[in-house]
Amino acid sequence: MENLQIRVLLSVFVAFLIAFRSFRKKSLDRSGAFMGFVVMVIHIAAGFRFGALLLVFFFTSSKLTKVGEEKKKAIDADFKDGGQRNWLQVLANSGIASVLVLTVGILTDWKDQCLNSKESAFITALVGGIIGHYACCNGDTWSSELGMLSQEQPRLITTFKPVRKGTNGGVTRTGLLAAAAAGSVIGLTSLLFGLLTASCSTSDVAIKQLLVLPLATVAGLCGSLIDSLLGATLQFSGFCTVRNKIVGKRGPTVRKISGVDVLDNNAVNLVSILLTSLLTAIASVYIF
């Protein structure tokens, strides 16, 4: 209990510093900073591995969002300086993981455990789901941010026809490689912090944790593909002839490119994260 109290105090201190800095740097708006603070406290207090996964995703994504801002601004009609995110975007990218992290913390008495389905298939599934969650988030962000800067012509994932940059569901080889790399970074983070903080019953179980790397790499790639598929089919993309940009809403000056107006970007992210987390959770039970 004493260790938990120390972790909670540390999480509040670290979360406040990061949320305040992110607000000052325009990575988060006021509502996003508040929600980010809450989410960070939950993750870090529940376990340093979970806090590390969240922070690696947040910092790498924020940095990549700011790369090539002028070029992205010319493509994306909804681009905000600094890639500023609000509370809804923070929740869409971390809400499911927050619930999973809290559940794991309660069930394990706030002690980090290795992935080991023989000891507890349910805990292994939950932790695997968290890893899949951030592999998906990181993969989707890296793919979008680096793919938009690529010299390649994106192709719509459903038809493979060339589309304009910024079109929902448009993919490039650069973007797909970036998604896999982003997943591997999440896997490496989980592996390193897991071996430092988690308790493995045997050396064989400890060695088996290395399989987190390929699992997270595949999850990053699959998450990006699921996101692109949803974006190409259930999210509207059009070209505004007045603004000369890709837009996500219909209008008199907008020519449809793909998709129907069922999901917005936050909903697409949420569904792709949910599906990737579920698939990774199931895979973790069989792998570990």
Side-chain angles (χ1 to χ4, degrees):
M1 184 60 71
E2 185 178 344
N3 288 336
L4 176 60
Q5 291 173 341
I6 293 173
R7 265 210 319 265
V8 170
L9 290 174
L10 180 62
S11 67
V12 170
F13 177 70
V14 172
F16 176 79
L17 289 180
I18 294 174
F20 181 74
R21 179 182 180 277
S22 300
F23 175 69
R24 292 287 299 273
K25 294 285 186 179
K26 295 185 177 180
S27 295
L28 300 170
D29 67 10
R30 194 180 301 276
S31 68
F34 174 76
M35 185 57 67
F37 168 77
V38 174
V39 166
M40 277 186 274
V41 168
I42 291 172
H43 278 67
I44 299 172
F48 292 125
R49 171 165 47 166
F50 303 134
L53 291 175
L54 170 63
L55 294 179
V56 165
F57 158 63
F58 175 69
F59 282 122
T60 59
S61 298
S62 296
K63 289 293 183 183
L64 284 181
T65 299
K66 294 178 181 180
V67 174
E69 281 189 328
E70 292 304 316
K71 187 174 182 178
K72 292 172 183 175
K73 194 180 297 185
I75 297 171
D76 188 358
D78 297 321
F79 184 84
K80 294 180 180 179
D81 290 334
Q84 198 172 55
R85 292 172 171 82
N86 59 30
W87 71 273
L88 191 58
Q89 291 168 309
V90 171
L91 202 57
N93 285 287
S94 59
I96 294 173
S98 296
V99 174
L100 296 179
V101 163
L102 272 177
T103 305
V104 170
I106 293 170
L107 293 177
T108 61
D109 198 25
W110 310 100
K111 295 176 182 177
D112 199 4
Q113 294 183 1
C114 282
L115 292 158
N116 184 6
S117 58
K118 291 182 180 179
E119 187 172 317
S120 175
F122 188 53
I123 297 299
T124 298
L126 290 175
V127 175
I130 295 165
I131 294 169
H133 180 292
Y134 284 113
C136 176
C137 290
N138 219 34
D140 176 47
T141 304
W142 283 36
S143 177
S144 299
E145 300 298 339
L146 294 178
M148 199 178 294
L149 297 176
S150 170
Q151 297 301 316
E152 297 176 70
Q153 178 77 39
R155 291 182 178 272
L156 196 65
I157 193 171
T158 51
T159 64
F160 299 107
K161 292 181 178 179
V163 290
R164 293 177 179 269
K165 289 184 178 181
T167 301
N168 296 311
V171 297
T172 63
R173 284 174 296 180
T174 300
L176 294 177
L177 287 173
S184 67
V185 168
I186 292 297
L188 182 60
T189 302
S190 177
L191 176 64
L192 293 178
F193 277 84
L195 292 176
L196 287 172
T197 63
S199 175
C200 295
S201 56
T202 65
S203 59
D204 289 341
V205 172
I207 292 173
K208 207 170 185 180
Q209 303 307 299
L210 291 170
L211 295 175
V212 166
L213 280 173
L215 175 66
T217 301
V218 172
L221 179 58
C222 286
S224 178
L225 290 172
I226 292 171
D227 188 276
S228 295
L229 185 60
L230 292 171
T233 55
L234 300 180
Q235 188 176 8
F236 178 81
S237 288
F239 180 71
C240 180
T241 54
V242 174
R243 302 172 69 183
N244 201 35
K245 291 181 178 181
I246 297 295
V247 296
K249 298 291 182 182
R250 299 178 185 273
T253 62
V254 176
R255 294 201 310 264
K256 180 181 176 179
I257 298 175
S258 63
V260 293
D261 197 6
V262 174
L263 302 176
D264 63 9
N265 195 57
N266 289 327
V268 166
N269 288 341
L270 190 63
V271 174
S272 62
I273 289 168
L274 181 60
L275 291 175
T276 306
S277 297
L278 180 60
L279 291 172
T280 312
I282 295 171
S284 296
V285 174
Y286 286 97
I287 292 171
F288 299 100

